[in-house]
Amino acid sequence: MPETPEQKARREIDADLTAAGWLVQSSDELDLTAGRGIAVREFQMKAGFGFADYLLYLDRKAVGAIEAKPEGTLTGVEAQSAKYAAGLPDNLPAHKRPLPFLFESNGSVSYFTNGLDPRPRSRQVFNFPRPETLAEWIAQPAQLRARLKQLPELDESRLWKVQARAIRNLEESFAKADARALIQMATGSGKTFTAVNVAYRLLKFSGAKRILFLVDRGNLGRQAEDEFANFEPPDDPRKFPALYTVQRLKSNSINPAAKVVITTIQRLYSMLKGETEFDAANEEGSSFDSAKPWRGAPPDVVYNPAIPPEFFDFIIVDECHRSIYELWSQVLLYFDCFLIGLTATPAGKTIGFFNQNLVMQYGHDEAVTDCVNVDFDVYRIRTRITEQGATIASGDTGIYVEKRHKLTRAERLAFLNQDLTYTANQLDRDVVSESQIRTVLQQFRDRVLPEAFPGRKEVPKTLIFAKDDSHADDIVRLAREVFAEGNEFCQKITYRTGFTKVTKKVANDDGTESEVTDWVKTSNLTPDEILGNFRNSFYPRIAVTVDMISTGTDVKPIECVFFLRNVRSAGFFEQMKGRGVRVISSDKLRTVTPSARAKDRFIIVDAVGVCEHDKTDSCSLNRQPSASLEGLLNYVAQGGLDPDALTTLAGRLARLQRDFSREQLAELKDAAGGRSMPDLAHDLLIACDPDAQIEEAKRFAGAGVEPSEEHIKAAAERLAQDAVTPFLKAAFRRRILEIRQQNEQTIDRHTIDEALYSGFDGASLDKARSRVKNFRDWIEKNRDEFTALQILYAGTKPLRISMKYLRELKDALARPPVATTPTQLWTAYEAVDPYTVGGAGGAHLSDLVSLVRHALLPEDALLPYADVVRARYEMWLKEQNVDRFTPEQREWLDRMAEHIATSLTIEPDDFETGWFGQHGSIGHAHALFGDQLRPIMAELNEKLAA
């Protein structure tokens, strides 16, 4: 006789209680000495209160009750369990009355209400808390949610306003018992530092038991560990690790004393599954970086008594906009805790996951206004081959073309007897056009850099995003060639940097030989070390990457973000773009870029139209025939068992074995523990076959027993887990992709590319026009408010204006609504009307004079103020008697003219500082010029003042 829904629910509830450490007993078999936590079925309550489905005993005293329901909704059931809270017979012992811990469950879903909370509110839990957990809670004078309402006032002495506001808003959310909260703070505004402050206050003032800091990539975990290690609280001279144990997991074991645990979500899932070891290589990449997450069935998370749902009180999810919600939400929702998300670029699904509780919103525009981020301009480079592809003409007799092995990069000649036409989408994958890469880099060198960074003596720190490792290699080689520089000038930074592929033969037990491939370190520099050089040293000037520096990596001196690959994910694009927004002091910038004055913006160089294409919130491969092999392998490696993914992967393996050599197939068979490619594909298909799942369930259920739905589900899980086991090893997945990449590329050295356009893109032009218009409108509106504007509007010459008044004007322009600098205004005029701009300006305060005058008289050329002064000085010199001045007097005159060029006038006090002060001050000037000093100064001020 099949079990009823009620029986099924009770059986599942019994199993959940047992897994959580409770002993389940019937009323007539009650034995309170059997264990610490006892769950008693069908317990008789006092008159009028009926029977409690389960009464929970802790250390021989009643502590809670469970209301069991058949599968279905649990809405409104809280009233029935609340009735049990008051229904315990008066003569029975209880930890507290009414009973504080109440549950409602149908076996599939469970809800929990803590009656000791300030405002008891039911919440869904993965499983019942363990007896020792309830013992901790019942012994506390105040529950966590009550303690969160009593946090002391925030000490803001070491915080800036945005960080303080984020913490205050988050703690207000805690006080309302909101389970999830999202903090959006722009890149560079100190999200991690804010999170460490939050963690410190939660540990010290709320008595939090344990906090998890969750990332999805290993290097972000290392950065977080450094932030905790260097944190000094405002109320204690000791650093954070001296007060609270911080553990970054390097194995699948948590230190019981750890108060802060840092790990990747990949390792956490491995630990929940009960695995004792985890391949650290799986932590170094993120499916978000490839913008190819798989949105299939989420990981099947099961209860783990070593890490119960109540193990952490808080989880801080770093970079929470990322693809973890495509695949990992079940891992997060396993825990009964507060979830705090950190992101710079929240997508709609991210905000939805956090229940639209966006407690802090601080975006890029505000960060630019606050000088926390720098703004950007976009330079577009268009070439014919980039947009249209090309044809290699074979001619009447055919031609030889180069073919290149993608992985080893060995080249050979191949005869082409018919035309080969390739599209823009095939570029750098099937066909490599060196002329296209070279043309783009030449435009960058000859057009973009001189316009964007006039006067620079070195290439600004530039980050180039490539399509893949092979493409990155081509860019590195051609960049060195185009800029006529050595190896240190341009370097590739990927997870492979510093390692090389080594293939060697090993003897098998049967006497045959097999090829074994491994990656060994051949360079003295790891990727992190090269990244450190890029950040802190003069070389490299250009770094080329596929995805390693795309998100969450701090390289403040970057001034050019260069796209030679397209990106379809809006969030990923924003993160890549964010590599350039970081603010850096002028002194620190000059340590790596000596000729730079300041970083007041960065530029995006768009060579593929990435800024013009529509983007989606995420680029999912869910049930898409275009799912990449790498995306499928990553999905399976992360625990995914979606049938669509497994079936698609089986098809890809079947297709691949036709392209692989016998030796390569033998190598993969050895790596897979003896399973051939057909075996692997077959196992994946069988795992998704409903008939095979039923047969497997029958085998375990026993002869003559009809397997239940649970049996079939468990059988399907066993088949799938067995099928994907070889793919859980990073080395095996990596080798499949390497062999697949060993197809050849055609090298097109016949077609010469040509530039179609190089300059500001449309959006940057619109932004520049808006900036110019806002500037003109603002000075017209405020012409009577600032002395500098009054003088410039009057138009009197020679100009009589002090630097003090110009500084007042500059400071006012830096504030909203204009929020701009002289350099940004100058760049805007260069974009809007380049033919009227005669040189690079904006760096000197005196250039404000030129900017205001040009705004008043747009028909006049916009020239740097210093250039006008220098030209007038040359004219003045021609008017003088050639023999009038000695060489030393001429040097002093040159310096005086240069001072007027940057400071508008020369006055006696100016001789006491700078170059003049170092060469004898006003006294030496009098000795040189005698009574003529003051007349000469007056004449220079009048003649040179523009």
Side-chain angles (χ1 to χ4, degrees), residues 432-438 441 472-484 490:
V432 174
S433 170
E434 292 189 348
S435 177
Q436 181 262 346
I437 299 173
R438 186 180 289 109
L441 291 172
D473 288 337
D474 290 328
I475 295 169
V476 168
R477 177 173 54 83
L478 290 168
R480 293 168 178 171
E481 174 190 309
V482 166
F483 285 91
C490 179

Side-chain angles (χ1 to χ4, degrees), residues 360-377:
M360 182 63 192
Q361 194 168 9
Y362 183 73
H364 173 70
D365 291 345
E366 288 180 272
V368 170
T369 301
D370 288 340
C371 298
V372 173
N373 284 178
V374 294
D375 205 356
F376 65 92
D377 289 313

